[in-house]
């Protein structure tokens, strides 16, 4: 496949199980190196919330600056559109439901049209996404990416309508989202970007939108291959318990499985450029006799029918307690990061519901885990929500006066993870190769 990045797969695990052991954990690191052939054909849609609330605190002016900046870094030839979202979506540029190729003239036209945006109306995000789906439909050969900006909750359509729109758009394009201010719903944007294989962040200060839009657009322009799939084979009588993306953010892919054979399932990984991501795979295998070795899983990276790279998850049964109880450093690190995200989200939910005992316990556990995995950003955000009495023991007190922005930042960034430090014990690789079968 011309212009496809060069992919590698690395598997970190302790392959040794005790006699009767069944559960095997592995961290699969997927890295892609640019082919040097330039970006792939691409299509980009910028969806800007223009509901009435955007007129306050400089949000609309900041959104205009951000959208103009994004348009100006689109590569020549990339098809694009700018859409205003309110009770219903409205084409800002170009006129009519279509995308237009980026060049000097179309970028000037879009920048001029963005300057005329005004804030009025409500919020119906599902209708914005449906329009994006229609616009992208004529560009199946392109890498399709949308940027969604909102400052509010999806109040002008039902949850069922939004869910139906997400089902209609799933697999058709990727979407990154940003919530500006403090009146939007974290869980709502998390759901949207999870289904559409994107990421989301909070932008409490509208002044930060421009830099954020530039970063998102440049990242989209750098992608070289769309719709990469992880295919996982497991032996008969084995059960794949879960597949989770761990870096750059925790995202459970288990429910996205599409069976591709009697013993294989496919998991969508979205679009790729030059980058690296890490995945936690857990397989339950039938117990073997001491001394037996087996392949517990075979992981392949696919673009269409092309195999980009592959790696093995192994299992070996031993009666050597030292070997079977050694915890792989990368597995331990990512297990901690997954638990950290859960503890924060459960703690904040309990706090919102007035369950102070549960909130204190879960956020205290988060303090311990953040230190263990070395996530300094999360530690700093936790300090704004709790007073730490004993960091090692996880003893905390809930702060009484917590800004909504600080709570939303902690909730939003709870799934943003850190890699293990170079030189950490990662165990022996379980097999990796390039573009092999």
């Amino acid at each position: 496949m011309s212009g496809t990045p060069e992919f590698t797969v690395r598997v970190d695990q302790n392959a040794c199980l005790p006699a009767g052991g069944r559960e095997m954990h592995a961290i699969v690191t997927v890295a892609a190196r640019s082919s040097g052939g330039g970006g792939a054909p691409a299509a980009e849609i910028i969806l800007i919330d223009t509901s009435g609330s955007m007129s306050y605190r400089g949000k609309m002016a900041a959104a205009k600056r951000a959208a103009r900046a994004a348009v100006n870094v689109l590569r020549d030839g990339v098809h694009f559109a700018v859409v205003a979202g309110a009770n219903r979506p409205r084409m800002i540029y170009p006129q009519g439901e279509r995308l237009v190729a980026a060049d000097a003239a179309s970028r000037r036209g879009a920048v001029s049209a963005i300057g005329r945006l005004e804030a009025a109306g409500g919020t119906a995000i599902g209708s914005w996404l449906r329009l994006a789906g229609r616009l992208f439909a004529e560009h199946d050969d392109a890498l399709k990416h949308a940027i969604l900006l909102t400052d509010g909750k999806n109040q002008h359509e039902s949850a069922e309508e939004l869910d139906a729109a997400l089902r209609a758009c799933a697999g058709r394009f990727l979407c990154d989202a940003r919530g500006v201010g403090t009146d939007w719903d974290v869980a709502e944007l998390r759901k949207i970007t999870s289904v559409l294989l994107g990421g989301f962040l909070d932008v409490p200060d509208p002044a930060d939108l421009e830099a954020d839009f530039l970063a998102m657009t440049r990242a989209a322009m750098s992608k070289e291959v769309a719709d990469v799939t992880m295919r996982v084979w497991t032996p008969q009588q084995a059960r794949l318990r879960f597949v989770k993306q761990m870096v750059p953010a925790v995202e459970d892919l288990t429910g996205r499985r599409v069976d591709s054979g009697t013993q294989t399932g496919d998991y969508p990984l979205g679009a790729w450029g030059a980058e690296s991501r890490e995945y936690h795979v857990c397989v339950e295998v039938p117990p073997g006799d001491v001394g037996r070795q087996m392949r517990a899983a075979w992981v392949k990276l696919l673009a269409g029918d092309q195999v980009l790279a592959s790696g093995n998850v192994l299992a070996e049964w031993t009666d050597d307690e030292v070997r079977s109880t050694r915890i792989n450093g990368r597995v331990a690190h990512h297990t901690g990061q997954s638990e950290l995200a859960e503890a924060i989200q459960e703690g904040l939910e309990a706090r919102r519901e007035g369950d102070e005992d549960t909130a204190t316990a879960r956020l205290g556990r988060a303090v311990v885990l953040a230190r263990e995995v070395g996530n300094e950003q999360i530690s700093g955000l936790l300090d704004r929500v709790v007073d730490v009495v004993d960091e090692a023991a996880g003893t905390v007190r809930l702060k009484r006066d917590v800004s909504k922005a600080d709570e939303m930042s902690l909730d939003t960034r709870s799934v943003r993870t850190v890699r293990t430090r170079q030189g950490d014990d990662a165990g022996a690789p379980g097999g990796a190769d390039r573009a092999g079968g």
Side-chain angles (χ1 to χ4, degrees):
M1 186 179 294
S2 176
T4 300
E6 181 183 19
F7 281 80
T8 57
V9 167
R10 165 181 167 171
V11 179
D12 289 297
Q13 62 170 137
N14 175 15
C16 295
L17 290 170
R22 300 175 60 91
E23 194 169 277
M24 178 53 64
H25 292 261
I27 301 302
V28 178
T29 301
V30 178
R33 188 171 63 185
S34 175
S35 67
E44 187 78 22
I45 297 175
I46 302 169
L47 302 164
I48 301 295
D49 187 338
T50 57
S51 60
S53 58
M54 285 289 290
S55 62
Y56 299 102
R57 294 178 47 239
K59 288 181 286 188
M60 181 52 69
K64 290 180 183 181
R65 289 193 299 271
R68 287 193 290 260
V71 165
N72 280 327
V73 295
L74 293 173
R75 296 195 317 269
D76 281 351
V78 170
H79 285 80
F80 78 101
V82 182
V83 174
N87 298 69
R88 60 179 61 88
R90 180 169 57 89
M91 294 294 297
I92 297 301
Y93 189 87
Q95 295 300 303
E97 286 196 8
R98 61 191 180 95
L99 303 185
V100 64
D103 58 23
S106 62
R107 281 190 287 266
R108 283 195 303 271
V111 165
S112 176
I114 289 166
R116 296 191 291 273
L117 284 172
E118 294 182 354
T123 306
I125 296 173
S127 68
W128 313 352
L129 296 172
R130 284 186 182 276
L131 173 57
R134 295 195 299 273
L135 294 171
F136 281 132
E138 301 300 317
H139 299 271
D140 279 343
D141 60 336
L143 260 157
K144 299 179 285 291
H145 177 259
I147 292 174
L148 167 66
L149 173 69
T150 186
D151 78 327
K153 300 178 179 67
N154 196 46
Q155 294 177 321
H156 294 88
E157 65 184 5
S158 68
E160 291 75 19
E161 287 174 309
L162 176 58
D163 288 344
L166 289 173
R167 287 193 298 271
C169 295
R172 298 175 62 187
F173 61 92
L174 308 183
C175 180
D176 289 319
R178 294 297 183 262
V180 62
T182 58
D183 293 325
W184 53 281
D185 188 322
V186 173
E188 200 164 71
L189 283 199
R190 180 177 284 130
K191 176 171 68 174
I192 290 167
T193 54
S194 176
V195 172
L196 300 180
L197 298 180
F200 79 105
L201 277 177
D202 59 310
V203 187
D205 186 347
D208 295 329
L209 277 176
E210 183 174 355
D212 206 38
F213 269 49
L214 277 171
M216 281 191 289
T217 309
R218 286 172 173 151
M221 294 298 96
S222 72
K223 301 301 184 187
E224 296 183 52
V225 59
D227 301 326
V228 175
T229 297
M230 178 186 289
R231 176 167 294 172
V232 185
W233 171 93
T234 50
Q236 288 184 351
Q237 299 180 335
R239 182 171 71 96
L240 192 58
R241 290 196 56 222
F242 61 76
V243 176
K244 295 180 182 180
Q245 178 184 277
M246 298 307 304
V247 172
V250 178
E251 182 68 46
D252 194 343
L253 303 178
T254 311
R256 310 270 181 88
R257 178 187 174 100
V258 175
D259 288 338
S260 52
T262 55
Q263 293 169 244
T264 59
D266 291 354
Y267 300 84
L269 305 187
W272 282 70
E275 60 190 293
S276 176
R277 305 179 199 172
E278 298 177 19
Y279 301 88
H280 187 173
V281 175
C282 178
V283 187
E284 189 176 281
V285 294
D289 297 330
V290 169
R292 183 189 173 202
Q293 297 178 331
M294 69 176 291
R295 180 157 61 181
W298 187 12
V299 177
K300 292 184 181 181
L301 272 292
L302 302 173
D305 294 328
Q306 181 186 8
V307 178
L308 305 172
S310 64
N312 293 309
V313 178
L314 306 176
E316 175 185 352
W317 284 267
T318 179
D319 55 8
D320 183 334
E321 186 175 354
V322 173
R323 293 179 67 202
S324 65
T325 57
R326 183 174 64 86
I327 300 175
N328 175 270
R330 288 184 181 273
V331 171
H333 178 79
H334 286 315
T335 300
Q337 294 200 127
S338 184
E339 186 186 347
L340 172 61
E342 292 175 3
I344 289 171
Q345 291 171 27
E346 291 170 3
L348 290 176
E349 181 63 26
R351 184 179 178 276
R352 287 190 288 268
E353 293 178 354
D355 183 352
E356 293 194 1
D357 289 343
T358 299
T360 301
R362 300 306 288 144
L363 293 174
R365 177 60 179 159
V367 166
V368 173
L369 290 165
R371 187 179 76 160
E372 288 179 353
V373 303
N375 197 325
E376 295 178 0
Q377 182 188 48
I378 291 299
S379 292
L381 290 170
L382 282 163
D383 285 342
R384 301 178 189 179
V385 177
V386 298
D387 291 314
V388 179
V389 178
D390 185 334
E391 184 180 47
T395 305
V396 303
R397 287 191 298 265
L398 300 181
K399 288 183 183 289
R400 291 302 165 195
D401 297 314
V402 177
S403 75
K404 191 172 181 182
D406 285 342
E407 181 181 331
M408 292 177 74
S409 287
L410 179 58
D411 195 355
T412 299
R413 296 165 194 268
S414 62
V415 297
R416 311 293 285 192
T417 54
V418 294
R419 299 181 189 275
T420 53
R421 292 182 296 274
Q422 291 297 319
D424 279 356
D425 170 35
D433 64 52
R434 291 192 188 98

